[in-house]
Amino acid sequence: MPLGGLGEFGMNMLALRYGEDIVVIDAGMMFPEAELLGVDIVIPDITYLKQNREQVRAIVLTHAHEDHIGALPYILRELNVPIYGTRFTLSLVSKRLEEAALLENATLREVLPGGKIEIGAFAIEFIPVTHSTIDCVALAIRTPIGVVIHTGDFKIDQTPADDRPFDLHAFARYGQEGVLALFSDSTNVERPGFTPSERAVVPRIEELCRTAPRKVVLSCFASSIHRIQQVIEIAERVGRKVAFVGRSMVSNVEIAHSLDRLRIPDGMVVRPQDLRSFDPKKLLILAGGSQAEPLSSLSRIAVDNHRLVTIEENDTVILSARIIPGNERAIFRMLDHMFRRNALVYYDNSAGIIHVSGHASQEEQKLLLGLVRPRHFIPIHGEYRQLFRHAAMAHQLGVVSGEILLIENGQPIEFTAQGAFRREPIAAGRVLVDSGSLEEIEEVVVRDRKHLSEDGVVVPIIAIDKHTGKMESLPEIVTRGFLPADDGAEIVSGARDVVLRTFGSSNPEEKTDYSVIKEKIRNDLKRYINKHTSKRPLILPVILEV
Ligand SMILES: [Zn+2]
Ligand SMILES: [Zn+2]
């Protein structure tokens, strides 16, 4: 039963059932598109699992990325079952559950890459694979009617940064024995050739760090432990010290370091309080926020609103991360701020590789299909066109003896001795969550209606002079369905003060970046209104350019 990640990018989740036993593979989230106003994250609909809660034995995780573990805090609230995963994966999960006050009642069971466990009718082997974070596994699940392989996310890196290889032998072994069904990662099916090894980023990044006239700010995903390790080693070779900036960056580095999966030479790290005075020629800063998430470190640095880091002329900025589709506008706006400060900005591979993907390209996908030679094949982890192309590739290779099933979320497949069959669709879809209140919203409309009926709407209207960046007049606060009659006027004038203060304390660049200024105003007003009225009205800042 595919519950997420098939036909869309993110929130991967798949349930496997044999008789009375259900095992869930991954529990991911995705970030909402901009039009899902006020929604913080999106998770899979688990109605099917709730209806069959007596049979759900466990959630098994392939690796620590958000699109595979991010929904756990929400799902565990409804369905507290044991969670299996490798060490690094579970460390990140623990952190997440701790923040949600769920850790105490959670059952986390660590497995080693290469290890085996039994859950109900299933015997599961965790096959080591290479990907853009550490401790990643594929699953070989032995069922009474055959072996099912789920690749998780993978690429076939021949020279992994941590020297822990992709276990090709395991896949070949299962292929020889016979595999009932293969579920495989389709992300990069549009890319010909092989995905370069993680080590491929070293020469160019090293060159940039060696020749950088002043400090280097490099941003990558906080979960890219391989990348972080290599950057630390580069820094050591070129005589720079490193600093870590950003909540997830600091936290993940600490976790990986404590697990002995990140080597940081003694005396290599610059403390936050020493950053401002440190010789920029000897400094390399690893910062989170590569996707220009609002209020993340790199976004703040870009508009000169970071406590510790300022970009000056001739500083070097390296974006060592994929630009996730949908984030282009925000990222390029952020980079524009860097360019305005006359920084040397590098964000693509045009003059040398500064980022490599963690997903298999066509030749690796073919290699895997050829090794496993499954009876049935189901492309997963991709948008529809990617699933389609992956299916077409398998067809062309001719290594699949049974069915190639192009399916999307909610379309169950039943495997029997006779073949693979599509069954009656089950409930599947997106659940929208406001992480502030931890409430689930079936549909954004429902949430908006609820907000409007209970807490109303607050619209701060700010008129900004396009040329000077100054406020043209006092902000207007329009409210509907909100405010008790007695202290209404007081709250409105307080809200106006909050807007004035937020605007006043923002710097010129922030003031011209309306998405930043809106987000700041929304956050500050939310806090103020919640504190004084315990209500959570819908806040929709409007900026009028005059
Ligand atoms: Zn991944
Ligand atoms: Zn993924």
Side-chain angles (χ1 to χ4, degrees):
M1 271 84 51
L3 298 172
L6 276 73
E8 66 198 347
F9 184 78
M11 61 174 220
N12 296 287
M13 185 182 230
L14 190 131
L16 210 59
R17 177 174 195 146
Y18 185 88
E20 296 297 288
D21 296 314
I22 296 174
V23 163
V24 179
I25 301 171
D26 288 335
M29 55 157 277
M30 67 186 202
F31 292 104
E33 300 101 39
E35 54 269 27
L36 291 180
L37 200 67
V39 170
D40 295 307
I41 72 161
V42 182
I43 61 172
D45 181 345
I46 56 162
T47 304
Y48 174 81
L49 300 178
K50 286 196 278 188
Q51 284 165 349
N52 295 275
R53 62 169 66 244
E54 297 303 316
Q55 283 79 45
V56 181
R57 306 281 170 245
I59 299 174
V60 180
L61 303 173
T62 59
H63 66 292
H65 278 151
E66 292 291 346
D67 60 322
H68 297 257
I69 67 167
L72 280 174
Y74 308 95
I75 286 167
L76 240 52
R77 253 174 249 276
E78 313 252 7
L79 209 67
N80 192 1
V81 296
I83 302 169
Y84 291 81
T86 55
R87 197 148 180 210
F88 180 70
T89 306
L90 289 190
S91 300
L92 261 56
V93 168
S94 303
K95 180 106 192 157
R96 201 60 56 77
L97 296 181
E98 197 179 353
E99 285 164 3
L102 289 168
L103 185 57
E104 218 164 288
N105 295 317
T107 310
L108 303 184
R109 300 198 174 135
E110 188 187 319
V111 288
L112 293 172
K116 287 182 190 164
I117 57 165
E118 272 182 38
I119 305 172
F122 305 110
I124 306 178
E125 177 176 350
F126 292 75
I127 306 175
V129 296
T130 44
H131 181 43
S132 47
T133 186
I134 56 173
D135 258 10
C136 303
V137 290
L139 307 172
I141 304 157
R142 195 176 293 279
T143 77
I145 59 159
V147 173
V148 170
I149 290 187
H150 183 293
T151 63
D153 291 1
F154 76 98
K155 69 174 180 182
I156 302 178
D157 194 334
Q158 320 271 18
T159 55
D162 61 359
D163 295 326
R164 297 183 186 216
F166 184 101
D167 192 352
L168 281 168
H169 294 288
F171 288 95
R173 177 161 44 82
Y174 281 108
Q176 224 148 38
E177 174 191 331
V179 169
L180 174 67
L182 171 67
F183 294 79
S184 184
D185 174 6
S186 311
T187 313
N188 275 354
V189 72
E190 290 154 318
R191 292 195 193 181
F194 290 88
T195 302
S197 167
E198 174 59 36
R199 290 192 198 263
V201 301
V202 170
R204 177 64 173 160
I205 293 181
E206 182 158 344
E207 179 196 344
L208 292 176
C209 292
R210 199 179 291 283
T211 55
R214 284 175 48 88
K215 73 172 173 289
V216 178
V217 176
L218 183 141
S219 187
C220 65
F221 284 105
S223 56
S224 300
I225 304 301
H226 299 307
R227 190 74 45 87
I228 295 168
Q229 177 70 72
Q230 300 196 107
V231 170
I232 292 171
E233 287 166 13
I234 288 169
E236 193 184 17
R237 283 198 294 275
V238 304
R240 290 177 185 266
K241 305 270 186 224
V242 295
F244 305 101
V245 166
R247 208 169 66 101
S248 324
M249 180 64 77
V250 170
S251 154
N252 285 4
V253 163
E254 272 170 11
I255 289 172
H257 187 58
S258 73
L259 298 178
D260 246 347
R261 298 299 299 276
L262 190 65
R263 194 188 62 87
I264 308 175
D266 289 341
M268 190 69 191
V269 178
V270 181
R271 295 180 308 172
Q273 61 266 40
D274 299 335
L275 267 180
R276 287 220 176 259
S277 56
F278 204 85
D279 178 1
K281 290 191 190 65
K282 298 205 157 77
L283 185 59
L284 187 155
I285 295 167
L286 271 151
S290 63
Q291 299 304 304
E293 301 89 339
L295 309 183
S296 68
S297 300
L298 203 62
S299 300
R300 283 172 186 271
I301 291 170
V303 294
D304 199 17
N305 181 24
H306 194 277
R307 201 158 50 86
L308 306 168
V309 185
T310 310
I311 294 293
E312 321 252 352
E313 186 166 350
N314 285 328
D315 279 344
T316 297
V317 176
I318 305 173
L319 190 76
S320 177
R322 168 166 115 104
I323 293 177
I324 291 181
N327 300 343
E328 296 96 339
R329 280 178 62 123
I331 292 174
F332 288 125
R333 207 161 47 210
M334 173 177 79
L335 295 180
D336 279 345
H337 287 296
M338 309 280 195
F339 277 105
R340 277 192 199 102
R341 305 186 160 274
N342 291 321
L344 311 167
V345 187
Y346 303 90
Y347 57 91
D348 61 24
N349 289 341
S350 55
I353 297 177
I354 58 172
H355 168 66
V356 291
S357 170
H359 295 274
S361 298
Q362 289 171 0
E363 297 308 312
E364 295 152 276
Q365 289 171 333
K366 288 180 197 165
L367 177 57
L368 194 90
L369 271 161
L371 282 176
V372 175
R373 306 183 80 84
R375 178 134 162 248
H376 307 298
F377 174 59
I378 303 92
I380 56 169
H381 204 289
E383 291 177 4
Y384 192 81
R385 69 177 191 288
Q386 296 162 331
L387 305 182
F388 183 96
R389 292 191 60 176
H390 205 180
M393 170 196 285
H395 183 73
Q396 194 185 20
L397 279 177
V399 294
V400 179
S401 53
E403 307 272 342
I404 295 170
L405 297 145
L406 185 55
I407 56 169
E408 290 189 87
N409 301 332
Q411 173 61 65
I413 300 294
E414 186 178 3
F415 299 99
T416 70
Q418 281 70 44
F421 305 95
R422 285 165 200 262
R423 296 299 183 212
E424 202 52 31
I426 54 167
R430 312 194 298 180
V431 175
L432 312 173
V433 182
D434 177 334
S435 66
S437 63
L438 287 175
E439 66 184 301
E440 275 187 20
I441 318 141
E442 291 302 323
E443 287 297 332
V444 71
V445 181
V446 179
R447 177 205 152 97
D448 283 354
R449 272 186 206 156
K450 186 167 169 289
H451 261 164
L452 294 169
S453 67
E454 291 176 14
D455 289 343
V457 56
V458 174
V459 183
I461 303 171
I462 302 117
I464 296 179
D465 184 315
K466 197 175 154 185
H467 302 289
T468 64
K470 290 213 170 67
M471 220 184 271
E472 268 296 295
S473 52
L474 275 183
E476 238 198 294
I477 311 285
V478 177
T479 70
R480 290 290 182 270
F482 167 74
L483 289 186
D486 43 3
D487 56 4
E490 206 182 306
I491 296 290
V492 166
S493 86
R496 188 177 289 129
D497 290 344
V498 170
V499 175
L500 280 172
R501 251 199 320 275
T502 304
F503 191 80
S505 65
S506 301
N507 65 35
E509 275 175 334
E510 289 180 302
K511 285 176 187 170
T512 54
D513 198 336
Y514 296 159
S515 62
V516 171
I517 202 83
K518 278 190 195 168
E519 184 67 14
K520 285 181 79 172
I521 288 174
R522 195 171 79 85
N523 272 323
D524 292 351
L525 267 186
K526 193 161 139 187
R527 206 172 306 124
Y528 169 78
I529 290 170
N530 195 256
K531 190 171 155 205
H532 290 88
T533 67
S534 8
K535 289 198 153 102
R536 297 173 52 85
L538 199 64
I539 300 173
L540 299 169
V542 171
I543 290 183
L544 298 175
E545 243 183 29
V546 291

